[in-house]
């Protein structure tokens, strides 16, 4: 079978298993994403699938999938260059953004990173020299189409957040008055969101279209840009010489050209291309009154400059048009500066409450005079929350950047001071979570527990915060007079919904049922003709059901949806056509909407019986298996993880909790390792104190300093994060997504392979937040710990800590080590993880390995073709010794799990390959770029590692050979020796 036929088989399987009789009557998001990608050149298929997703997006498991695969969806929206009449995928994301502020924030940060990738010029390198230091170096990746696409989508996401559901209050009143039914309420609310998304995208200004006005260009005197000052230092004066430049405005960018000849004659060459995104533009106030009327001051994220015009009228015209260009990306006149750097105007430093992006920039109330239009109080509340959350995260990452620019000897002293200076807005949270994770409001920082990692290039900072849940607060949504209590176990989505959308008296009245679309209820067995009433959990509510429906309910209304109206003669203009075969949810979509399946999908489904009768080897290999539910341990709380307080059961996760004056230790997990062994392990790994105990100590200290809450339902906890700057975390986000996917694949197959997934959030191309790994230390740190055996290595450590090799504690720790070693061996091999020195591998108190830092992945390695790391995965002599040697039962179990994991990964290869292929498309990730890793090499090599072309009978032998090749590989030893010699990592 050739490559084309193989690709067609894969597409056929996708259609069958998402929409056809072989589907599981669910919305399998991993396959839906693949289907969108495979049919990306067919607008009708994309439109139909967008409807399909949106109709059932209110179901919790569907929305979890949407959030998990957001990187792929966003990547397609940003990079696909197809000529569609409607921005279908963009509008789909805007509909979801109206339902979930958390989703909108996550999308906002992805777009911000892409915007920085494709901006006209590279950002100033403040540690460099020449043009790099002040900016002006052209960005080789500059793409005006993609840049403006990201800029407009950022603005549209913001508008969706602010405007929310425009008719929410009216529809709620109609429902309360009995004028509409619950089902009609659901339909109208979803139609309202669709219509809002349509209006927003259709109303996009085209900043480059000056057809209605005279095109703006001409020779202008320019005082070239100087960089904004580093926070805490005096600003540089704008004393650059004035030069003549031919300037044009083009889609949010001011282009300055210089002439190769004299007196402004000759060929023009581009000198500067300066982004006006959210720039502050005003008349200069430093000169005489006449100069002020003819001179403009422009302050952007990274630099400032002046323009001088011959006449005041010209200056006035340019001021208006440049402000339009700057403001199209936002509803509000904000100057978003580079983290840690203050805006300056006229050479004077702004006050702390006048600049954005600093740690002190959280106004209690946004000045309504800054708004472009009149907003309702509820809309203003939504914007304040959205903006404060972005500023809060920007302040956290900005703190790491400020410390990086300080002298290394001063960082540890300055860090607690800067954390103390953080001002916490009234309702923010650490966004290292899903919408379905427990809501925890950040109440105050705990500066004395701040930890700094002092390196030459970066200064990562670990920060801890006191958080609250279960508070009684005043609603700032539709009815400000009502008070409402947040349930201690409510999730992020539920909190935001209750706070901004629904008041408590109406919330209870509209709860009739909560039946998910996963077929678990009795309606799963009803035929489509019975028309079961179905309700779906909205993603801004943990309890209020809202059905996502793409109905064209009002044919007289002006485009009351996402612009899916059928054109005359189009297949979608026909009467609904569906059979009782195929996915039940697809039948509901076809029944409730005036559409039919797109021709390409219908054709592939029509011949499914014939294809099934002639199954080939390739058909079997491309079967996509059942839907893989993505594991989310943080969102799955069992009864054993809860404590009873009064009549309530409160979930306890990583941190201990404080309720009134009672501290409940979070260490609820049942171990087969005895207490004495755990105490010895804690002594080596975390200084003798587990995070549960440490968080309890923090809460005890808080109780003494601040007192306790009177309300027994208010729960105080500790939340932590690591802030990083000068580091692009987006590749790490993708690798962690792949590890998370394989963790779910192994769990679905029932394999006890252990992988630790942790949250990584990239908020720009250079900054991000990471979840803090607790009760674990690097192997480098372990080997340097006091009391670590000088001889015998890891095996001796296990015996010293966990006891006799035949004891229950030792066997448990050894099994933990083996299962984690096997899990990471598989993903290290498949994902080509390199740079696996002992600083990038951690071990926890239970003996499990944890890999971190994925800057080198998919075959990309330090030293490139000269890399020492030639082994399929890291498998040292020490590891073999911990397992008990090559002939031990533990080693044999390691081999069995490794082989089984490879086989399961191979069966799920098409989805994994698709995820890599999507993110590889026009990607700037290092593992997909350059002559070594670009041009599809990463995907080709990944496919080889998955052994897709290897016969089933040979897979086990190949897998066992990988183990033999990796065991005590000399290249692994050389790389550890190199890292020991150059960076001091223990061997």
């Amino acid at each position: 079978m050739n490559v084309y036929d193989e690709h067609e088989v894969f597409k056929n399987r996708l259609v069958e298993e998402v929409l056809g009789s072989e589907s599981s009557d669910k919305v399998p998001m991993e396959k839906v994403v693949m289907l969108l990608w495979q049919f990306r050149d067919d607008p009708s298929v994309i439109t139909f699938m967008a409807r399909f997703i949106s109709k059932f997006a209110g179901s919790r498991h569907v929305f979890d999938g949407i959030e998990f695969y957001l990187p792929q969806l966003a990547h397609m929206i940003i990079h696909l260059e197809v000529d569609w009449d409607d921005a279908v995928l963009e509008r789909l994301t805007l509909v979801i953004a109206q339902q979930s502020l958390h989703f909108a924030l996550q999308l906002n940060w992805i777009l911000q990173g892409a915007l920085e990738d494709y901006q006209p010029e590279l950002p100033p390198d403040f540690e460099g020299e020449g043009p790099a230091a002040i900016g002006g170096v052209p960005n080789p990746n500059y793409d005006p189409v993609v840049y403006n696409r990201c800029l407009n989508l950022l603005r549209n996401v913001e508008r969706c957040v602010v405007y929310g559901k425009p008719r929410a209050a009216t529809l709620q009143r109609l429902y309360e008055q009995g004028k509409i039914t619950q089902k009609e309420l659901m339909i109208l609310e979803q139609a309202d969101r669709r219509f809002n998304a349509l209006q927003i995208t259709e109303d996009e200004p085209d900043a480059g279209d000056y057809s209605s006005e005279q095109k703006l260009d001409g020779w202008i005197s320019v005082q070239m840009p100087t960089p904004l000052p580093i926070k805490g230092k005096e600003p540089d004066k704008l004393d650059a010489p004035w030069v003549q430049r031919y300037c044009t405005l083009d889609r949010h960018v001011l282009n300055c050209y210089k002439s190769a000849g004299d007196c402004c004659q000759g060929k023009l060459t581009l000198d500067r291309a300066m982004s006006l995104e959210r720039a502050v533009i005003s008349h200069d106030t430093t000169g005489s009154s006449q100069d002020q009327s003819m001179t403009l001051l422009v302050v952007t994220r990274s630099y400032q400059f002046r323009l001088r015009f011959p006449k005041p009228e010209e200056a006035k015209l340019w001021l208006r048009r440049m402000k339009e260009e700057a403001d199209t990306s936002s509803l509000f006149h904000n100057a978003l500066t580079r983290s840690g750097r203050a805006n300056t105007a006229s050479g004077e430093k702004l006050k702390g409450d006048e600049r954005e992006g600093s740690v002190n920039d959280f106004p209690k109330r946004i000045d309504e005079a800054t708004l472009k239009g009149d907003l309702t109080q509820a809309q203003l509340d939504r914007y304040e929350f959205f903006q404060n959350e972005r500023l809060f995260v920007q302040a956290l990452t900005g703190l790491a950047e400020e410390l990086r620019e300080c002298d290394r000897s001063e960082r540890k002293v300055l860090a607690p001071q800067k954390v103390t200076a953080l001002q916490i807005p009234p309702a923010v949270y650490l966004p290292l979570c899903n919408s379905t994770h427990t809501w925890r409001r950040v109440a105050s920082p705990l500066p004395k527990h701040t930890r700094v990692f002092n390196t030459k290039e970066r200064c990562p900072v670990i920060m801890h915060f006191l958080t609250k849940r279960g508070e009684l607060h005043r609603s700032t949504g539709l009815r400000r007079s009502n008070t409402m209590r947040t349930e201690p176990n409510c999730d992020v989505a539920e909190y935001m919904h209750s706070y901004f959308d629904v008041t408590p008296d109406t919330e209870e009245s509209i709860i009739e049922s909560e039946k998910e679309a996963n077929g678990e209820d009795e309606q799963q067995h009803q035929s489509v003709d019975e028309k079961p009433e179905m309700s779906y959990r909205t993603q801004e509510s943990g309890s209020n059901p809202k059905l996502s429906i793409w109905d064209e309910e009002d044919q007289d209304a002006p485009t009351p949806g996402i612009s899916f109206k059928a054109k005359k003669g189009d297949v979608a203009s026909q009467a609904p056509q569906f059979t009782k075969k195929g996915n039940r949810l697809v039948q509901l979509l076809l029944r409730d909407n005036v559409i039919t399946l797109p021709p390409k999908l219908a054709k592939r489904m029509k011949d499914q019986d014939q294809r099934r009768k002639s199954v080939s080897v390739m058909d079997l290999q491309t079967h996509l298996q059942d839907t893989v539910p993505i594991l989310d341990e943080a969102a799955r709380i069992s009864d054993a993880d809860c404590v009873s307080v009064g009549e309530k059961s409160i979930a306890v996760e990583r941190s201990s909790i404080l309720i009134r004056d009672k501290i409940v230790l979070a260490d609820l997990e049942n171990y087969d390792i005895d207490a004495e062994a755990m105490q010895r392990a804690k002594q080596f790994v975390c200084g003798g104190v587990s995070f549960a105990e440490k968080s309890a100590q923090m809460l005890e200290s808080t109780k003494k300093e601040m007192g306790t809450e009177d309300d027994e339902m208010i729960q105080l906890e500790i939340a932590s994060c690591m802030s990083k700057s000068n580091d692009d975390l987006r590749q790490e986000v993708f690798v962690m997504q792949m590890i998370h996917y394989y963790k779910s694949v192994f769990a679905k197959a029932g394999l006890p392979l252990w992988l630790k997934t942790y949250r990584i959030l990239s908020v720009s191309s250079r900054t991000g937040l990471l979840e803090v790994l607790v009760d674990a230390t690097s192997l480098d740190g372990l080997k340097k710990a006091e009391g670590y055996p000088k001889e015998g290595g890891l095996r001796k450590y296990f015996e010293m800590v966990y006891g006799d090799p035949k004891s229950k504690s030792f066997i448990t720790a050894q099994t933990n080590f083996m299962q984690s070693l096997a899990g990471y061996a598989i993903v290290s091999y498949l994902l080509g993880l390199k740079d696996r020195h002992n600083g990038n591998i951690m071990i926890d108190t239970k003996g499990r390995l944890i890999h971190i830092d994925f800057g080198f992945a998919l075959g990309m390695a330090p030293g490139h073709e000269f890399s020492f790391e030639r082994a399929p995965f890291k498998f040292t002599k020490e590891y073999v010794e911990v397992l008990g040697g090559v002939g031990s039962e533990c080693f044999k179990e390691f081999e069995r799990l490794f082989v089984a994991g490879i086989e399961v990964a191979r069966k799920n290869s098409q989805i994994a390959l698709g995820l890599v292929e999507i993110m590889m498309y026009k990607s700037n990730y290092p593992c997909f770029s350059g002559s070594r890793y670009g041009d599809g090499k990463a995907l080709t090599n990944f496919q080889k590692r998955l052994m897709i072309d290897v016969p089933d009978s040979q897979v086990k032998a190949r897998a066992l050979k990988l183990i033999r090749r990796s065991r005590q590989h000399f290249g692994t030893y050389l790389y550890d020796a190199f890292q020991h010699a150059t960076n001091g990592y223990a061997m």
Side-chain angles (χ1 to χ4, degrees):
M1 183 177 291
N2 58 38
V3 175
Y4 174 79
D5 291 336
E6 178 182 343
H7 189 67
E8 287 301 298
V9 168
F10 177 51
K11 293 173 78 170
N12 291 338
R13 300 300 304 177
L14 274 174
V15 175
E16 280 189 21
E17 296 182 25
V18 173
L19 307 173
S21 60
E22 293 191 18
S23 68
S24 58
D25 282 348
K26 293 183 180 180
V27 182
M29 279 306 301
E30 74 274 20
K31 299 175 187 177
V32 169
V33 171
M34 292 301 103
L35 198 147
L36 288 171
W37 173 250
Q38 293 295 329
F39 290 90
R40 59 190 179 273
D41 58 344
D42 190 330
S44 65
V45 174
I46 301 298
T47 299
F48 181 84
M49 294 310 302
R51 289 191 180 192
F52 183 52
I53 299 169
S54 182
K55 180 178 177 68
F56 301 104
S59 176
R60 187 178 187 127
H61 78 275
V62 176
F63 196 86
D64 283 345
I66 292 173
E67 285 197 324
F68 185 81
Y69 294 105
L70 175 59
Q72 282 74 28
L73 290 171
H75 198 82
M76 285 189 277
I77 293 171
I78 293 168
H79 294 97
L80 284 181
E81 295 183 1
V82 288
D83 186 17
W84 296 348
D85 293 333
D86 296 310
V88 180
L89 288 180
E90 177 180 343
R91 288 176 184 159
L92 170 64
T93 59
L94 295 181
V95 169
I96 299 171
Q98 292 173 76
Q99 300 182 69
S100 172
L101 289 171
H102 179 78
F103 176 90
L105 284 163
Q106 301 288 324
L107 179 59
N108 170 87
W109 287 315
I110 291 176
L111 292 170
Q112 184 59 51
L115 194 70
E116 294 169 7
D117 283 340
Y118 298 103
Q119 61 189 340
E121 297 180 347
L122 297 176
D125 180 0
F126 298 94
E127 297 179 355
E129 298 179 355
I134 61 174
V137 177
N139 182 3
N141 296 320
Y142 173 51
D143 187 324
V145 174
V146 178
Y147 177 78
N148 283 278
R149 184 180 297 163
C150 293
L151 203 58
N152 288 332
L153 187 51
L154 267 172
R155 180 205 57 162
N156 288 339
V157 168
E158 190 174 76
R159 293 175 69 186
C160 276
V161 166
V162 174
Y163 295 132
K165 294 166 284 187
R167 295 188 297 167
T170 302
L171 295 176
Q172 288 285 357
R173 284 194 294 272
L174 289 174
Y175 175 78
E176 293 167 8
Q177 295 167 3
K179 295 182 179 180
I180 59 174
T181 66
Q182 179 194 2
K183 184 175 181 180
E184 290 170 336
L185 172 67
M186 298 173 185
I187 293 173
L188 290 172
E189 284 192 331
Q190 181 63 13
D192 198 29
R193 285 190 287 267
R194 295 195 335 262
F195 181 69
N196 191 31
L198 174 65
Q199 294 299 101
I200 285 173
T201 51
E202 285 194 342
D203 194 35
E204 288 182 2
D206 186 353
D209 183 9
Y210 299 117
S211 57
S212 58
E213 300 185 47
Q214 180 183 358
K215 185 174 181 181
L216 210 56
D217 59 357
W219 289 96
I220 303 171
S221 293
V222 181
Q223 196 174 35
M224 279 302 180
T226 58
L228 294 182
I230 297 173
K231 187 184 174 187
K233 297 184 180 180
E234 289 300 317
D236 298 329
K237 297 296 183 181
L238 267 170
D239 55 2
W242 289 91
V243 294
Q244 285 290 109
R245 293 292 181 265
Y246 186 82
C247 298
T248 64
L249 276 179
D250 183 19
R251 293 180 176 270
H252 316 297
V253 177
L254 177 68
N255 294 301
C256 298
Y257 298 87
K258 60 182 178 181
S259 174
D262 296 329
C263 301
C264 304
Q265 301 296 323
K267 184 179 180 181
L268 294 175
T269 58
L270 183 65
D271 186 17
R272 295 294 302 264
M274 297 175 287
S275 170
L276 297 177
E277 179 216 351
R278 301 193 182 190
V280 175
I281 305 163
S282 61
H283 281 287
D284 181 27
T285 59
T286 56
S288 64
S289 57
Q290 183 176 2
D291 287 340
Q292 291 179 23
S293 65
M294 296 188 297
T295 306
L296 303 181
L297 173 67
V298 183
V299 181
T300 71
R301 289 172 175 265
S302 303
Y303 48 72
Q304 54 192 351
F305 61 93
R306 289 192 179 100
L307 303 172
R308 181 182 292 164
F309 300 86
K311 300 178 182 178
E313 294 77 12
E314 291 184 36
K316 186 176 181 180
L317 175 61
W318 277 81
L319 175 65
R320 177 175 65 83
R321 296 288 285 278
M322 290 175 71
K323 278 189 172 183
E324 290 174 357
E325 294 290 339
D327 294 342
T328 51
S329 61
S330 175
L331 289 168
F332 305 91
H333 301 276
N334 290 319
L336 295 182
T337 63
R338 180 176 179 267
S339 298
R341 299 182 183 276
N343 274 340
T344 58
S346 305
E348 297 180 2
K349 187 163 60 173
L350 295 177
K351 297 178 182 179
D353 60 352
E354 292 177 343
R355 64 178 179 265
E356 189 170 3
S358 73
V359 295
N360 295 315
D361 184 28
F362 297 108
K364 293 182 180 179
R365 204 72 185 156
I366 293 175
D367 184 0
E368 295 190 27
T370 65
L371 305 184
K372 285 186 175 180
D374 295 330
L375 296 183
T376 66
Q377 189 59 59
Q379 290 168 342
L380 183 60
D381 290 339
R382 290 170 68 88
Y383 176 74
E384 283 188 336
F385 173 82
F386 189 70
Q387 180 70 335
N388 281 342
E389 181 65 25
R390 290 185 295 180
L391 290 174
F392 175 61
V393 171
Q394 188 176 353
L396 297 183
T397 57
L399 189 146
E401 180 67 2
E402 290 173 20
L403 288 172
R404 187 179 73 87
E405 293 169 341
C406 297
D407 189 273
R408 293 178 65 183
S409 62
E410 300 176 353
R411 291 174 180 175
K412 292 186 178 181
V413 176
L414 292 174
Q417 299 174 10
K418 291 182 178 294
V419 173
T420 302
L422 282 171
Q423 293 185 9
I424 310 298
V428 292
Y429 67 112
L430 292 179
L432 293 164
C433 60
N434 284 346
S435 292
T436 50
H437 290 177
T438 304
W439 165 262
R440 294 175 176 86
R441 181 181 71 82
V442 175
S444 61
L446 301 174
K448 67 180 180 180
H449 300 286
T450 303
R451 184 182 176 189
V452 174
F453 295 87
N454 209 341
T455 68
K456 182 179 179 181
E457 296 182 350
R458 303 179 184 91
C459 186
V461 185
I462 290 180
M463 292 171 276
H464 302 278
F465 299 90
L466 180 69
T467 66
K468 294 183 179 183
R469 53 178 168 141
E471 295 175 303
L472 185 70
H473 64 79
R474 187 167 296 276
S475 172
T476 57
L478 302 176
R479 298 184 180 179
R480 300 182 61 82
S481 61
N482 291 341
T483 58
M484 56 198 304
R485 180 183 299 283
T486 301
E487 286 295 323
N489 298 327
C490 84
D491 57 32
V492 172
E494 181 179 359
Y495 175 86
M496 293 182 184
H497 175 70
S498 65
Y499 197 84
F500 294 111
D501 293 331
V502 176
T503 55
D505 57 336
T506 61
E507 184 177 17
E508 293 300 325
S509 66
I510 58 177
I511 300 175
E512 295 182 5
S513 63
E514 183 178 356
K515 297 175 181 178
E516 300 284 358
N518 57 12
E520 292 180 357
D521 57 88
E522 62 182 3
Q523 293 173 354
Q524 174 185 2
H525 306 292
Q526 294 176 322
S527 69
V528 175
D529 292 336
E530 294 178 58
K531 299 184 179 180
E533 295 294 327
M534 301 182 67
S535 298
Y536 297 92
R537 176 174 180 157
T538 181
Q539 293 317 302
E540 292 298 5
S541 170
S543 54
N544 179 31
K546 304 242 176 134
L547 183 61
S548 301
I549 300 227
W550 294 74
D551 257 333
E552 304 297 346
E553 75 284 352
D554 183 3
Q555 297 298 331
D556 297 325
T559 325
I562 212 168
S563 192
F564 285 129
K565 277 195 170 181
K567 298 177 182 179
K568 198 169 184 180
D570 190 34
V571 66
S573 65
Q574 303 170 16
Q577 296 177 8
F578 57 90
T579 68
K580 296 183 182 180
K581 294 181 179 180
N583 189 308
R584 181 175 60 91
L585 302 185
V586 176
Q587 307 311 310
L588 288 174
L589 175 68
L590 296 174
R591 185 198 71 196
D592 292 336
N593 296 267
V594 187
I595 58 172
T596 59
L597 282 172
K600 285 189 178 180
L601 298 182
K603 184 177 186 301
R604 290 175 185 272
M605 292 179 67
K606 183 178 179 181
D607 300 327
Q608 60 183 333
D609 290 334
Q610 286 81 347
R611 289 198 300 270
R612 197 177 295 110
K613 292 177 183 178
S614 56
V615 177
S616 66
V617 174
M618 187 56 63
D619 281 317
L620 292 174
Q621 290 183 348
T622 56
H623 185 68
L624 305 181
Q625 302 295 305
D626 293 332
T627 299
V628 177
I630 300 301
L631 284 185
D632 192 353
E633 300 297 335
R636 301 190 324 178
I637 305 298
S638 66
D639 292 338
D641 298 320
C642 296
V643 295
S644 296
V645 179
E647 298 180 354
K648 295 288 184 179
S649 180
I650 297 181
V652 182
E653 297 176 31
R654 296 198 317 168
S655 168
S656 297
I657 63 173
L658 173 63
I659 307 172
R660 284 191 174 176
D661 60 349
K662 179 183 179 183
I663 292 180
V664 180
L665 205 64
D667 203 2
L668 300 176
E669 185 177 347
N670 256 337
Y671 309 126
D672 287 326
I673 301 175
D674 63 57
E676 292 183 1
M678 284 299 298
Q679 190 57 46
R680 290 192 293 267
K682 287 190 291 185
Q683 201 64 45
F684 280 98
V685 172
C686 48
V689 182
S690 68
F691 184 73
E693 296 164 336
K694 181 179 179 180
S695 61
Q697 294 172 3
M698 293 182 191
L699 292 171
E700 185 68 36
S701 176
T702 299
K703 181 174 67 171
K704 292 178 181 178
E705 296 174 4
M706 304 173 56
T708 58
E709 298 282 351
D710 292 332
D711 193 332
E712 68 176 10
M713 298 316 300
I714 294 181
Q715 175 177 327
L716 302 182
E717 295 179 70
I718 304 301
S720 311
C721 70
M722 176 188 286
S723 170
K724 291 188 75 174
S725 71
N726 196 36
D727 195 5
D728 190 344
L729 298 177
R730 288 174 294 180
Q731 178 173 296
E732 290 202 46
V733 171
F734 171 60
V735 174
M736 181 54 66
Q737 181 194 34
M738 295 295 295
I739 293 175
H740 202 158
Y741 174 76
Y742 277 122
K743 176 180 179 177
S744 302
V745 167
F746 298 150
K748 173 121 179 121
L751 296 176
L753 293 162
W754 191 88
L755 295 166
K756 173 64 178 177
T757 52
Y758 57 92
R759 298 279 166 176
I760 308 173
L761 176 65
S762 173
V763 299
S764 73
S765 61
R766 294 168 57 86
T767 60
L769 299 177
L770 296 91
E771 178 185 337
V772 178
L773 297 177
V774 300
D775 300 339
T777 187
S778 67
L779 288 177
D780 169 64
L782 178 71
K783 289 171 178 287
K784 293 177 179 177
E786 184 179 354
Y788 186 83
K790 295 181 179 179
E791 295 181 0
L794 273 180
R795 174 72 186 198
K796 185 66 176 178
Y797 164 78
F798 267 69
E799 293 176 356
M800 179 189 299
V801 170
Y802 302 109
D804 185 271
K806 295 182 180 179
S807 68
K808 187 176 182 180
S809 294
F810 182 93
I811 292 173
T812 299
Q814 183 188 50
T815 301
N816 290 341
F817 180 87
M818 179 269 296
Q819 291 173 346
S820 63
L821 176 63
Y824 279 108
I826 294 168
V827 297
S828 293
Y829 164 68
L830 293 178
L831 301 180
L833 302 184
K834 301 299 179 182
D835 197 27
R836 298 299 89 200
H837 56 72
N838 285 335
N840 284 339
I841 302 176
M842 304 182 76
I843 190 168
D844 69 9
T845 53
K846 303 171 192 66
R848 299 178 297 210
L849 296 176
I850 305 171
H851 284 235
I852 61 172
D853 195 344
F854 308 115
F856 293 91
L858 291 169
M860 179 188 176
H864 306 295
E865 57 266 20
F866 302 106
S867 173
F868 294 130
E869 295 182 280
R870 303 270 177 171
F873 58 89
K874 186 169 187 175
F875 195 23
T876 66
K877 178 183 178 181
E878 279 190 311
Y879 294 176
V880 176
E881 290 172 347
V882 173
L883 298 180
V886 174
S888 68
E889 290 300 317
C890 189
F891 188 92
K892 292 177 183 177
E893 179 64 7
F894 168 80
E895 289 182 317
R896 186 192 73 80
L897 286 178
F898 183 85
V899 172
I902 291 292
E903 291 174 342
V904 170
R906 184 169 170 266
K907 291 178 181 178
N908 290 271
S909 60
Q910 292 293 352
I911 298 297
L913 284 166
L915 294 176
V916 172
E917 185 180 8
I918 293 172
M919 299 309 293
M920 182 181 68
Y921 181 74
K922 297 190 176 180
S923 174
N924 293 323
Y925 293 2
C927 62
F928 297 135
S929 306
S931 58
R932 289 186 176 95
Y933 311 112
D935 298 326
K937 294 184 181 69
L939 182 65
T940 301
N941 293 331
F942 181 42
Q943 188 170 3
K944 290 179 181 177
R945 291 192 294 271
L946 281 165
M947 306 184 200
I948 294 176
D949 297 330
V950 177
D952 292 348
S953 59
Q954 298 180 20
V955 172
K956 181 178 179 179
R958 293 282 187 98
L960 292 174
K961 184 178 179 180
L962 293 173
I963 296 176
R964 290 194 298 272
R965 283 180 53 202
S966 300
R967 193 175 71 232
Q968 303 176 36
H969 195 284
F970 188 60
T972 301
Y973 170 80
L974 287 178
Y975 190 67
D976 280 342
F978 171 77
Q979 288 292 339
H980 175 69
T982 57
N983 294 312
Y985 291 119
M987 293 184 63

